[in-house]
């Protein structure tokens, strides 16, 4: 869906927002529509993506991994090689540049694993803007390194102690700040979620991933990949990977966090186990109880620990264009170690969900087939978490 | 005519403005809610807004958010809430408004939720995250059943004020400040200007109530003087409930209410 009419992907999306935010959302949409096709804006963004962020990222053939599994060829889209170590910089550069054009002096953001917070802090520093980031208190503990990085970059981190103390609460707090300071503040949302136009805007800024995959695979194979796989929390790296390929013949798979298992209530697999609802300004699939209260989630990866999902993913689930599967924490740790030890690439725990699925798919596929996995980020931030898991499960 | 409309008509005849009190149902427990309602009625509140807790109350400040969390922890559920409303209805005819978030209604189904609420004795709804653009199904479900009270803000354009006031019934809820509930920033000139502007745009077709950060008799006096048809006091009530022993709750609420209500009599 190119630019969704009324901000709706089918029945999903929309603008469920307090009235105070309406002028800000209208101003944002107006400016986004103006600048998204503006040659100067595009050239400036391309410049930063190229010389600051490090685009294009390579499409790496994971030969050792593919041979070990013995099925299809697995390629990795190396978003982990971007400045900051994750795909998040594609979106933060886009939005920070837009905010600058809109003369916004103050930038706020939310973050789960901290990658979006770091990317926001970097983009703001590079463009000479100030940033403040809301982060769930639990996440500030498990992603200490990223808190330190944000501090070093001159960004103020607000730990959020309400609710489940994770990403959803950080979003609530960022929205509250935005309601209070709407006149001078730009809310730089980190995933393809929230009220329209955020889901479409973030998708567009992240579509650089899928567009590069398309042209890179064309050079290798003269066709689009047989299968593309990406992890889904809010789903920004996934929608950026999928969107340019939805009209192709490629099989598309999104992988959610099954945590301790889909029946355990300790997971974040919104599309696999959720129902329709309204949260954070959008109608989408949600993890909620029988009364419509949003439930607490779990994932070993802080970046996927979110009870909602981008509305465009909800649309692709219902139209069956994309398949949504899930991987448990245990499968994710296995995939993390497998990639680390076969290829010397330490993937983020978020991306390890996609690797776990790729292994399953590759095993069942022919050697002539190609799978592209978006490696959304690097795993340096997660090594302590992995070590703790291994100690706890006596797997050393 | 709904109870809310009747109340405004009655107040107009008496040359009074409305005092609307917001409390969170089930905070800190059901018994306290009943005592609070008795105190409100005794003290002369005109309308009561009953909050139904939501896990993610993004338009609310820390006081209501905390009350929401406690109410949920105490096991407030929809059926329990409706039975509480029925109990209140046995004692009083005061107009009751349900304030909650869109997902609570959407999840059950707008029509089903509104019918059940109406049956229990709810007269209207306030949903802070329901924008006018997304309200078609909700408005259809509420038609001839309950009042739909929409929020406007000091930065709402005149075109939107027109649009929103057409979809609203009962009254229009003007948010006094940029911020969440309970924010105390003092009375701003832009708020007083907004009251005048909204009154001008709506030409008396619908009453205009003002809420968010209204907590003292002085606040009430100033907003009424500026032309508001109603004032809504919320967080101040919750703070009082929190610090008052349950045995004194009814009388404490009644005397605070009296002090506020006095300022609405012209």
């Amino acid at each position: 869906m190119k630019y969704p009419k009324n901000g709706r992907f089918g029945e999903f999306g929309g603008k469920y927002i307090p009235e105070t935010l309406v002028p800000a959302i209208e101003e944002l949409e107006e400016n986004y529509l103006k600048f998204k096709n503006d040659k100067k804006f595009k050239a400036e963004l391309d410049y930063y993506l190229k010389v600051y962020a490090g685009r294009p990222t390579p499409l790496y053939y994971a030969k050792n991994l593919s041979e070990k599994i013995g099925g299809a060829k697995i390629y990795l889209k190396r978003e982990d090689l971007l400045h900051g170590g994750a795909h998040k910089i594609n979106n933060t550069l886009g939005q920070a540049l837009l905010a600058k054009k809109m003369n916004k002096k103050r930038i706020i953001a939310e973050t789960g694993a901290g990658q979006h917070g770091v990317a926001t802090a970097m983009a703001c520093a590079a463009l000479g803007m100030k940033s403040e980031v809301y982060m769930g208190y639990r996440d500030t503990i498990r992603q200490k390194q990223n808190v330190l990085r944000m501090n070093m970059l001159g960004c103020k981190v607000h730990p959020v102690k309400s609710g489940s103390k994770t990403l959803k609460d950080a979003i609530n707090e960022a929205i509250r700040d935005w309601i209070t300071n709407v006149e001078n503040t730009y809310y730089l949302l980190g995933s393809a979620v929230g009220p329209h136009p955020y889901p479409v805007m973030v998708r567009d800024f992240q579509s650089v991933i899928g567009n590069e995959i398309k042209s890179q695979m064309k050079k290798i194979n003269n066709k689009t990949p047989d299968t593309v796989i990406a992890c889904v929390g809010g789903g920004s790296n996934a929608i950026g990977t999928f969107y340019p390929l939805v009209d192709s013949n490629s099989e598309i798979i999104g992988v959610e966090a099954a945590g301790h298992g889909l029946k355990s209530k300790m997971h974040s697999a919104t599309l696999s186990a959720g129902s329709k609802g309204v949260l954070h300004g959008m109608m989408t699939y949600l993890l909620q109880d029988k009364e419509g209260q949003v439930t607490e989630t779990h994932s070993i990866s802080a970046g996927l620990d979110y009870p909602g999902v981008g509305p465009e993913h909800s649309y692709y689930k219902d139209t069956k264009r994309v398949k949504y599967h899930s991987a448990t924490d245990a499968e994710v740790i296995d995939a993390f170690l497998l990639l680390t030890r076969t290829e010397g690439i330490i993937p983020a725990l978020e991306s390890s969900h996609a690797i776990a699925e790729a292994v399953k798919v590759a095993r069942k596929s022919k050697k002539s087939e190609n799978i592209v996995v978006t490696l959304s980020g690097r795993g340096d931030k997660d090594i302590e978490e992995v070590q703790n898991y291994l100690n706890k499960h006596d797997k050393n | 005519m709904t109870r809310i409309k009747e109340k405004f008509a009655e107040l107009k005849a008496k040359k009074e403005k409305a005092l609307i009190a917001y409390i969170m149902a089930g905070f800190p427990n059901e018994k306290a809610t009943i005592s609070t309602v008795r105190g409100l009625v005794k003290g002369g509140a005109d309308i009561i807004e009953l909050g139904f807790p939501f896990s993610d109350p993004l338009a609310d400040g820390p006081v209501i958010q905390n009350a929401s969390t406690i109410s949920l922890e105490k096991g407030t559920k929809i059926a329990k809430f409706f039975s509480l409303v029925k109990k209140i209805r046995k004692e009083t005819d005061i107009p009751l408004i349900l304030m909650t978030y869109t997902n609570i209604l959407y999840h059950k189904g707008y029509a089903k939720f509104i019918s059940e609420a109406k049956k229990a004795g709810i007269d209207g709804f306030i949903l802070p995250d329901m924008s006018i653009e997304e309200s078609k199904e909700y408005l259809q479900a509420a038609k001839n059943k309950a009042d739909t009270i929409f929020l406007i803000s000091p930065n709402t354009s005149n075109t939107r004020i027109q649009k929103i006031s057409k979809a609203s019934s009962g009254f229009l809820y003007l948010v006094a400040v940029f911020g969440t509930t309970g924010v105390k920033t003092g009375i701003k000139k832009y708020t007083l200007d907004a009251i005048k502007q909204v009154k001008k745009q709506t030409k008396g077709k619908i009453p205009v109530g003002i809420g968010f950060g209204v907590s003292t008799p002085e606040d009430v006096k100033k907003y009424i003087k500026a032309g508001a048809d109603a004032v809504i006091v919320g967080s101040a009530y919750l703070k009082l409930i929190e610090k008052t022993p349950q045995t004194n709750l009814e009388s404490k609420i009644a005397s605070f209410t009296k002090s506020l209500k006095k300022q609405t009599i012209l």
Side-chain angles (χ1 to χ4, degrees):
Chain A
M1 197 168 286
K2 270 198 149 176
Y3 192 84
K5 211 178 159 193
N6 303 326
R8 292 269 182 175
F9 302 93
E11 66 180 301
F12 302 104
K15 297 175 187 171
Y16 294 85
I17 46 170
E19 190 58 28
T20 312
L21 294 181
V22 169
I25 279 284
E26 283 177 347
E27 184 194 13
L28 174 63
E29 185 172 14
E30 200 181 292
N31 278 280
Y32 178 59
L33 287 172
K34 180 176 147 195
F35 285 109
K36 83 185 191 95
N37 297 318
D38 180 85
K39 276 187 189 159
K40 223 174 129 192
F41 179 84
K42 277 165 78 178
E44 207 172 338
L45 179 58
D46 281 349
Y47 169 80
Y48 277 103
L49 286 173
K50 200 171 160 187
V51 300
Y52 182 74
R55 297 215 75 91
T57 58
L59 186 68
Y60 170 74
Y61 171 42
K63 188 165 174 275
N64 301 339
L65 178 68
S66 307
E67 283 175 358
K68 183 157 187 168
I69 292 161
K73 287 195 185 82
I74 299 173
Y75 289 85
L76 304 175
K77 180 60 177 162
R78 299 290 309 272
E79 296 298 291
D80 61 316
L81 293 178
L82 285 170
H83 178 46
H87 70 290
K88 296 290 186 184
I89 193 78
N90 303 324
N91 171 46
T92 58
L93 280 174
Q95 285 197 57
L97 200 57
L98 182 64
K100 197 170 182 177
K101 302 277 177 213
M102 289 166 70
N103 283 322
K104 296 286 176 183
K105 302 280 176 242
R106 181 174 177 261
I107 305 277
I108 57 164
E110 84 299 329
T111 195
Q115 291 300 99
H116 173 59
V118 170
T120 300
M122 289 186 321
C124 287
L127 295 171
M129 301 164 93
K130 287 209 156 147
S131 61
E132 291 179 39
V133 168
Y134 289 89
M135 187 170 185
Y137 179 71
R138 254 186 77 203
D139 294 336
T140 62
I141 308 278
R142 55 179 169 169
Q143 299 292 348
K144 231 176 355 198
Q145 265 194 53
N146 275 338
V147 176
L148 293 175
R149 290 164 85 194
M150 283 184 268
N151 289 336
M152 298 293 168
L153 287 158
C155 164
K156 191 173 174 192
V157 180
H158 300 275
V160 177
K161 292 189 173 173
S162 59
S164 54
K165 304 176 184 64
T166 59
L167 180 58
K168 97 175 158 87
D169 310 289
I171 297 181
N172 288 338
E173 219 49 61
I175 294 176
R176 286 195 184 102
D177 180 320
W178 195 25
I179 291 173
T180 311
N181 302 294
V182 67
E183 296 286 287
N184 66 353
T185 298
Y186 182 95
Y187 179 18
L188 204 162
L189 232 169
S191 196
V193 300
H196 177 70
Y198 281 108
V200 68
M201 182 170 70
V202 176
R203 174 198 76 190
D204 291 351
F205 286 136
Q206 291 293 1
S207 285
V208 64
I209 305 172
N211 285 325
E212 284 180 12
I213 290 174
K214 252 170 109 173
S215 61
Q216 287 166 325
M217 271 316 276
K218 200 173 176 197
K219 271 186 200 154
I220 297 169
N221 237 359
N222 206 26
K223 62 171 192 167
T224 58
D226 295 300
T227 306
V228 285
I229 302 172
C231 64
V232 178
S236 71
N237 90 89
I239 208 68
T241 302
F242 300 165
Y243 179 66
L245 290 157
V246 286
D247 293 330
S248 73
N249 293 323
S250 298
E251 178 188 39
I252 304 178
I253 306 173
V255 190
E256 299 190 295
H260 295 183
L262 292 184
K263 285 180 185 157
S264 68
K265 290 188 179 171
M266 293 277 286
H267 63 78
S268 309
T270 311
L271 292 163
S272 309
S275 53
K276 289 168 193 170
V278 176
L279 179 71
H280 295 150
M282 62 182 164
M283 180 168 294
T284 190
Y285 276 94
L286 287 183
L287 290 172
Q288 54 188 330
D289 67 14
K290 285 177 191 157
E291 299 255 311
Q293 304 289 353
V294 180
T295 50
E296 292 197 0
T297 52
H298 163 81
S299 169
I300 193 161
S301 57
L304 302 186
D305 208 347
Y306 179 62
V309 65
E312 194 165 1
H313 286 294
S314 294
Y315 172 71
Y316 290 138
K317 174 198 156 77
D318 277 12
T319 55
K320 297 191 168 58
R321 175 60 188 101
V322 179
K323 289 179 194 160
Y324 292 92
H325 296 169
S326 60
T328 62
D329 288 351
E331 289 172 323
V332 166
I333 294 288
D334 287 346
F336 174 94
L337 293 174
L338 180 67
L339 186 68
T340 302
R341 289 169 187 177
T342 53
E343 298 289 352
I345 295 170
I346 302 176
L349 283 172
E350 288 79 3
S351 319
S352 303
H353 286 74
I355 302 291
E357 177 70 19
V359 170
K360 290 180 205 167
V361 175
R363 271 200 189 113
K364 288 187 257 167
S365 308
K366 290 181 214 144
K367 284 193 175 174
S368 57
E369 289 182 45
N370 301 299
I371 299 171
V372 172
V373 184
T374 296
L375 200 68
S376 57
R378 68 174 187 227
D380 306 34
K381 68 182 176 54
D382 295 319
I383 47 174
E384 255 184 69
E385 192 77 14
V386 174
Q387 189 59 55
N388 290 341
Y389 183 94
L390 296 175
N391 291 344
K392 206 172 152 190
H393 293 80
D394 215 8
K395 281 196 169 182
N396 281 311
Chain B
M1 201 188 266
T2 65
R3 285 194 187 96
I4 299 170
K5 283 176 198 152
E6 276 172 14
K7 177 58 79 177
F8 276 103
E10 177 196 319
L11 289 170
K12 202 174 175 184
K14 286 201 291 187
K15 292 205 165 130
E16 284 180 28
K17 302 293 181 184
L19 171 68
I20 304 176
Y22 168 93
I23 54 168
M24 173 62 71
F27 171 74
N29 52 52
E30 196 183 303
K31 218 176 136 198
T33 305
I34 302 263
S35 305
T36 307
V37 168
R38 285 179 185 148
L40 290 172
V41 173
K42 209 184 262 179
D46 298 299
I47 296 172
I48 298 174
E49 275 180 30
L50 284 172
F52 181 81
F54 181 51
S55 51
D56 297 82
L58 53 82
D60 287 304
V63 176
I64 294 182
Q65 190 187 12
N66 179 48
S68 194
T69 307
I70 290 173
S71 175
L72 278 175
E73 281 168 2
K74 289 278 168 66
T76 301
K77 304 263 183 205
I78 296 166
K80 220 172 143 191
F81 174 82
F82 288 156
S83 78
L84 171 71
V85 174
K86 282 178 192 163
K87 275 185 207 164
I88 294 171
R89 269 286 162 254
K90 280 183 189 159
E91 296 190 16
T92 172
D93 224 19
I94 194 166
L96 293 174
I97 296 165
L98 170 49
M99 185 163 182
T100 189
Y101 285 80
T102 300
N103 196 48
I104 298 294
L105 271 71
Y106 174 79
H107 189 70
K108 199 177 178 77
Y110 293 121
K112 201 173 170 207
F113 193 103
I114 291 170
S115 289
E116 285 181 27
K118 168 86 181 158
K119 228 164 116 189
I122 290 291
D123 302 299
F125 290 88
I126 298 174
L127 307 173
D129 61 340
M130 172 61 84
S131 66
I132 193 78
E133 285 79 6
E134 312 299 348
S135 64
K136 203 175 155 195
E137 207 186 328
Y138 160 65
L139 285 173
Q140 266 167 3
K143 204 172 178 185
N144 301 324
K145 283 203 173 76
D147 283 319
T148 48
I149 298 140
F150 280 85
L151 274 69
I152 44 173
S153 164
N155 61 358
T156 304
S157 66
N158 287 344
T159 329
R160 282 186 73 81
I161 294 174
Q162 293 290 347
K163 223 162 128 188
I164 294 169
S165 62
K166 266 182 203 145
S168 299
S169 60
F171 65 95
L172 258 183
Y173 191 135
L174 173 63
V175 170
V177 287
F178 294 113
T180 51
T181 54
V183 181
K184 196 74 199 128
T185 52
I187 292 177
K188 303 276 185 194
K189 188 182 174 289
Y190 69 72
T191 315
L192 302 176
D193 291 345
I195 296 174
K196 286 191 187 91
Q197 187 60 14
V198 176
K199 293 283 289 179
K200 197 174 146 195
Q201 290 295 320
T202 52
K203 295 179 187 140
K205 282 182 194 154
I206 188 163
V208 177
I210 187 152
F212 283 41
V214 186
S215 63
T216 64
E218 292 72 39
D219 294 343
V220 174
K221 193 177 178 180
K222 279 183 189 152
Y223 285 131
I224 296 292
K225 225 176 128 191
D229 300 302
V231 284
I232 303 136
V233 179
S235 296
Y237 271 113
L238 296 185
K239 281 185 195 161
L240 184 62
I241 293 167
E242 203 174 10
K243 68 175 190 199
T244 309
Q246 217 134 307
T247 43
N248 295 339
L249 196 55
E250 193 179 320
S251 61
K252 280 271 182 199
I253 293 286
S255 64
F256 179 52
T257 305
K258 261 181 210 160
S259 71
L260 297 172
K261 178 60 199 169
K262 222 167 121 184
Q263 305 301 332
T264 68
I265 302 166
L266 304 176

